[in-house]
């Protein structure tokens, strides 16, 4: 009896140990640390709810939450439709589809830090983008240092970097739509826009919904480009919530406070996910 | 009319002038996209061979006036690129071994072997997908410190085995393999370990290749986490470039671009050669890219 299952357990054991040690432990420990003042030298001291009280007194948190929502919104407004549009357009190319596909994916191959270095120069007050703007008689923009522009500039850069992979997913779905459907629609008198609206888009509805949710999940935790390009500046204009966690921990060495921020984030995101589940279930029930 | 001849548009549509104009515009937009993808890469290369005064002129010009190839030898001596590249490859190799051995065995067991509480174990792994990593980033760091794996490669390698998404991909791939193969191996007296390494693993090479792309791109791109987990002489290329090139205060712009070009060109060439396989592999992985 025991011998029969020994391989099954033996194969799972290493993974179970690693998940326990490196995923479950930090998750649970994060909750514990949030009630402590963490000090690697003198040892941890229990501080009760002090970390949480400090968070609610900190005016930066409001800014960070607002910036995160702004960032998520911009990523949807600027970045979400771009890969869909290009996927539809590229699927219609009779020649050069391969080149367009490879070019769109190119930035993905280069390490992101290199792209950060490049874009810092492209966005420079005396860089090529401003040279182009002045050539057209427009006034130059301080893409990085003007708080009105800084977040939008980051979102534009990230869209450029990342739309390729989403585009490939949409493109694969669009190319697998049977050509006969368009044929039939055309015979029935549907124009080009109607064919896109009623055949192409519904056929990739699943991918659109999935990538939408994935993008929300990813952007709600975004901090890397904000950190690498601007360190949350100018004047906290690109300080996202996750970046605030990182800065609390590694700049101010307030590990307990950072853990508490993480717990709060988990509660909010978890609540949203649960709510979304409820709503989508109810929607199915109604239908 | 042949079906292969059409997409959304048919040849008939393209005879109408309005459609023609829109189609032409669309091609121009795609062309602009392709150029905008290639331009920054080309500009980095050209800036890398300009004289430093020329890089700093406004408005910048695209092609260099003088070709200063010695920028590259200066850049080569500025930081020890081969060492950092070796570190990156070392991290990738370790992460890949963890993925194949730890996640491969576990997903094989979850998919192909029978044992009590298997469903519960699966839940134990999958539940971690629902917790956003940013929420336990800081406790992870403290945890690694307490386990004394910090500043060694183990601090990256061991947690690489805790990826529920890869586990999910592997398990669904194993689910699709023909069970009779394993039955017959078992009857012939092969152990389960042999069943995994000699039957399941070779049959699953496509999915492992896909995972290799994912694992490589994360080892290749991640610069932030290694700054905390590794000691300075173990930094991967990304981290070294970020800290010593991009954040450097006193480094001439042309040398900086020469360095960026040196880091950028090899992966682009590899990608161009293998792009057919890489793009196919990405599709197999479903969504993550």
């Amino acid at each position: 009896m025991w011998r029969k299952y020994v391989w099954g357990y033996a194969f799972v054991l290493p993974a179970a140990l690693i998940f326990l040690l490196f995923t479950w432990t930090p998750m649970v420990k994060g909750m514990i640390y949030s009630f402590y003042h963490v000090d690697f030298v003198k040892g941890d001291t229990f501080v009760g709810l002090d970390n949480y009280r400090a968070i609610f007194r900190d005016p930066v948190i409001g800014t960070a939450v607002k910036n995160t929502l702004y960032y998520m919104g911009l990523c949807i407004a600027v970045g979400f439709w771009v890969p869909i549009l290009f996927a539809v357009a590229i699927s219609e190319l009779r020649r050069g589809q391969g080149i367009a596909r490879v070019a769109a994916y190119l930035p993905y191959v280069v390490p992101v830090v290199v792209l950060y270095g490049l874009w810092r120069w492209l966005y420079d007050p005396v860089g090529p983008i401003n040279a182009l703007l002045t050539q057209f008689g427009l006034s130059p923009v301080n893409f990085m240092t003007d708080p009105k522009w800084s977040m939008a500039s980051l979102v534009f850069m990230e869209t450029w970097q990342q739309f390729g992979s989403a585009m490939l997913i949409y493109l694969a779905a669009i190319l697998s739509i049977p050509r006969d459907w368009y044929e039939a629609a055309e015979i029935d008198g549907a124009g080009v826009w109607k064919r896109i609206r009623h055949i192409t888009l519904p056929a990739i509805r699943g991918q659109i919904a999935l990538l939408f949710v994935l993008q929300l999940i990813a952007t709600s935790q975004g901090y890397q480009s904000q950190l690498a390009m601007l360190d949350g500046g100018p004047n906290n204009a690109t300080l996202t919530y996750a970046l605030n966690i990182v800065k609390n921990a590694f700049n101010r060495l307030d590990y307990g406070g950072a853990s508490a921020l993480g717990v709060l984030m988990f509660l909010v995101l978890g609540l949203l996910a649960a709510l979304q589940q409820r709503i989508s279930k109810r929607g199915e029930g109604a239908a | 009319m042949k079906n292969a001849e059409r997409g959304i548009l048919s040849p008939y549509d393209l005879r109408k002038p309005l459609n023609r104009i829109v189609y032409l515009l669309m091609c121009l937009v795609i062309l602009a996209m392709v150029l905008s993808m290639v331009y920054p890469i080309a500009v980095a290369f050209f800036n890398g061979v300009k004289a430093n005064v020329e890089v700093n002129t406004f408005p910048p010009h695209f092609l260099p006036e003088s070709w200063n190839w010695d920028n590259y030898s200066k850049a080569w001596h500025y930081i020890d690129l081969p060492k950092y590249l070796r570190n990156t490859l070392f991290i990738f190799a370790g992460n890949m071994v963890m993925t194949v051995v730890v996640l491969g065995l576990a997903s094989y067991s979850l998919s192909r072997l029978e044992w009590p509480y298997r469903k519960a174990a699966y839940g134990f792994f999958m539940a971690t997908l629902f917790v956003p990593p940013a929420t336990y980033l800081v406790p992870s760091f403290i945890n690694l410190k307490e386990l004394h794996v910090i500043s060694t490669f183990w601090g990256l390698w061991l947690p690489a085995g805790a990826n529920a998404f890869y586990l999910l991909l592997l398990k669904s791939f194993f689910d699709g393999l023909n069970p009779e193969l394993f039955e017959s191996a078992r009857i012939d007296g092969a152990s389960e370990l042999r069943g995994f390494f000699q039957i399941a693993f070779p049959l699953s090479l496509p999915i492992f290749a896909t995972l290799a792309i994912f694992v490589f791109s994360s080892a290749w791109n991640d610069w932030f986490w290694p700054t905390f987990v590794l000691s300075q002489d173990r930094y991967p290329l990304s981290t070294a470039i970020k800290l010593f090139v991009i954040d450097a205060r006193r480094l001439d712009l042309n040398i900086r671009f020469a360095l960026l070009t040196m880091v950028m060109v090899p992966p682009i060439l590899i990608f161009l050669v293998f792009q057919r396989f890489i793009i196919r592999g990405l599709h197999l992985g479903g969504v993550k890219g």
Side-chain angles (χ1 to χ4, degrees):
Chain A
M1 176 71 188
W2 185 84
R3 288 191 74 99
K4 203 170 135 199
Y5 303 128
V6 65
W7 284 111
Y9 286 117
F11 281 8
V12 163
L13 191 68
L17 273 178
I18 280 181
F19 271 76
L20 186 69
L21 271 177
F22 296 102
T23 315
W24 285 105
T25 309
M27 281 192 232
V28 174
K29 269 190 183 165
M31 304 202 181
I32 300 168
Y33 289 139
S34 72
F35 299 106
Y36 279 83
H37 177 78
V38 178
D39 192 321
F40 292 131
V41 187
K42 286 186 235 150
D44 307 345
T45 37
F46 184 76
V47 292
L49 286 171
D50 276 10
N51 287 330
Y52 289 96
R53 267 186 222 120
I55 290 172
F56 286 110
R57 252 179 283 145
D58 189 353
V60 169
I61 302 300
T63 318
V65 170
K66 232 182 332 187
N67 286 342
T68 307
L69 293 175
Y70 180 53
Y71 174 61
M72 292 167 74
L74 270 181
C75 283
I76 299 289
V78 176
F80 186 68
W81 52 271
V82 173
I84 303 176
L85 191 76
F86 274 108
V88 173
I90 289 175
S91 77
E92 279 305 294
L93 280 185
R94 297 292 188 271
R95 232 172 295 155
Q97 226 179 63
I99 295 173
R101 210 192 289 218
V102 167
Y105 200 74
L106 216 48
Y108 239 91
V109 187
V110 176
V112 269
V113 286
V114 171
L115 299 177
Y116 293 150
L118 258 174
W119 278 84
R120 271 197 198 171
W121 183 74
L122 293 178
Y123 275 150
D124 199 89
V126 292
I129 298 182
N130 271 324
L132 197 71
L133 286 180
T134 44
Q135 223 164 47
F136 283 111
L138 300 164
S139 52
V141 177
N142 290 322
F143 291 103
M144 291 279 98
T145 47
D146 185 343
K148 275 203 300 277
W149 279 93
S150 46
M151 189 68 97
S153 307
L154 290 183
V155 170
F156 184 77
M157 175 190 81
E158 290 195 319
T159 305
W160 178 86
Q161 281 175 15
Q162 296 168 359
F163 89 96
S165 84
M167 200 275 289
L168 288 182
I169 293 166
Y170 290 130
L171 187 60
I174 290 175
L175 291 177
S176 68
I177 300 171
R179 299 278 170 264
D180 309 1
W181 295 4
Y182 296 124
E183 190 82 47
E186 196 184 351
I187 291 166
D188 288 348
V192 178
W193 298 117
K194 269 202 168 149
R195 274 173 249 160
I196 295 178
R197 166 84 185 69
H198 294 289
I199 299 175
T200 317
L201 293 181
I204 58 170
R205 201 174 44 199
Q207 281 84 357
I208 293 178
L210 182 66
L211 290 185
F212 186 79
V213 173
L214 286 181
Q215 183 175 4
L216 281 185
I217 293 172
T219 51
S220 65
Q221 312 175 59
Y223 66 92
Q224 296 238 353
S225 67
Q226 286 83 355
L227 173 71
M229 295 287 282
L230 290 159
D231 198 25
N235 197 12
N236 286 344
T238 57
L239 184 84
T240 59
Y241 190 87
L243 181 54
N244 192 38
I245 296 183
V246 168
K247 293 190 111 179
N248 262 309
F250 299 119
N251 294 5
R252 275 182 248 153
L253 303 181
D254 180 9
Y255 296 105
S259 300
L261 280 169
V263 171
L264 288 178
M265 186 180 184
F266 169 68
L267 291 179
V268 173
L269 291 183
L271 205 71
L272 285 180
L275 233 123
Q276 190 257 333
Q277 285 278 320
R278 286 270 312 254
I279 292 171
S280 63
K281 257 202 197 123
R282 197 179 301 160
E284 274 164 34
Chain B
M1 211 190 292
K2 273 203 186 115
N3 280 340
E5 289 294 313
R6 65 164 303 147
I8 300 168
L9 295 166
S10 64
Y12 172 72
D13 289 317
L14 285 175
R15 259 180 257 143
K16 292 184 200 156
L18 179 69
N19 286 346
R20 271 197 132 124
I21 292 167
V22 174
Y23 188 77
L24 196 71
L25 274 176
M26 191 192 86
C27 291
L28 285 177
V29 170
I30 293 173
L31 187 70
M33 183 275 287
V34 171
L35 289 181
S36 89
M37 294 291 150
V38 178
Y39 168 78
I41 292 161
V43 98
F45 170 70
F46 287 131
N47 280 350
V49 287
K50 286 176 185 169
N52 196 37
V53 201
E54 205 193 333
V55 187
N56 288 309
T57 49
F58 184 83
H61 25 85
F62 187 57
L63 289 170
E65 279 167 350
S66 58
W67 296 75
N68 301 279
W69 293 105
D70 61 318
N71 289 350
Y72 278 89
S73 75
K74 278 186 206 153
W76 184 260
H77 293 295
Y78 176 72
I79 57 169
D80 191 354
L81 288 175
K83 180 177 94 179
Y84 295 117
L85 177 65
R86 209 160 48 229
N87 287 343
T88 296
L89 295 178
F90 210 48
I91 292 168
F92 163 67
N95 288 357
M96 201 57 216
V97 169
M98 289 299 285
T99 306
V100 172
V101 176
V102 174
L103 292 177
L105 283 177
S107 47
Y108 178 72
S109 171
L110 287 165
S111 162
R112 286 272 150 246
L113 303 178
E114 291 286 340
W115 39 280
Y117 303 113
R118 203 173 61 161
K119 269 240 165 79
Y122 190 54
F124 168 85
F125 293 120
M126 286 304 121
T128 61
L129 274 179
F130 293 98
V131 186
T135 63
Y136 58 93
L137 187 84
V138 175
S140 285
F141 170 71
I142 307 173
N143 185 43
L144 292 176
K145 233 180 155 97
E146 287 176 350
L147 292 170
H148 300 290
V149 289
I150 217 131
S151 85
T152 68
F153 284 121
W154 291 108
L156 289 182
W157 286 340
L158 290 174
N163 193 316
F165 178 68
Y166 297 169
L167 187 79
L168 180 72
L169 283 182
L170 281 169
K171 183 184 173 290
S172 49
F173 195 90
F174 288 142
D175 284 345
L177 293 180
N178 189 346
E180 283 170 18
L181 279 172
F182 301 100
E183 274 316 316
S184 58
R186 233 166 261 157
I187 291 164
D188 289 347
S191 72
E192 297 297 345
L193 210 57
R194 274 187 69 165
F196 174 72
F197 280 108
Q198 295 198 328
I199 301 172
F201 181 70
L203 284 175
S204 315
L205 277 182
I207 192 73
F208 279 109
T210 301
L211 288 183
I213 298 172
F214 292 160
V215 173
F216 183 78
S217 93
S218 72
W220 187 236
N221 276 316
D222 195 14
W223 59 276
F224 178 68
W225 194 233
T227 51
F228 299 105
V229 178
L230 297 177
S231 56
Q232 218 184 67
D233 58 324
R234 291 188 178 83
Y235 279 171
L237 195 60
S238 281
T239 307
I241 293 289
K242 172 72 174 67
L243 297 185
F244 308 139
V245 176
I246 291 173
D247 291 349
R249 295 250 162 81
R250 312 173 58 109
L251 176 63
D252 286 342
L253 210 50
N254 56 348
I255 308 291
R256 207 178 285 222
F257 276 111
L259 276 162
L260 294 187
T261 308
M262 283 199 283
V263 177
M264 201 158 55
V265 167
I268 289 180
L269 290 181
I270 294 174
F271 171 66
L272 290 182
V273 173
F274 293 107
Q275 49 106 353
R276 225 165 259 279
F277 303 100
I278 292 175
I279 287 180
R280 197 190 305 151
L282 289 172
H283 283 311
L284 197 61
V287 284
K288 215 190 152 196

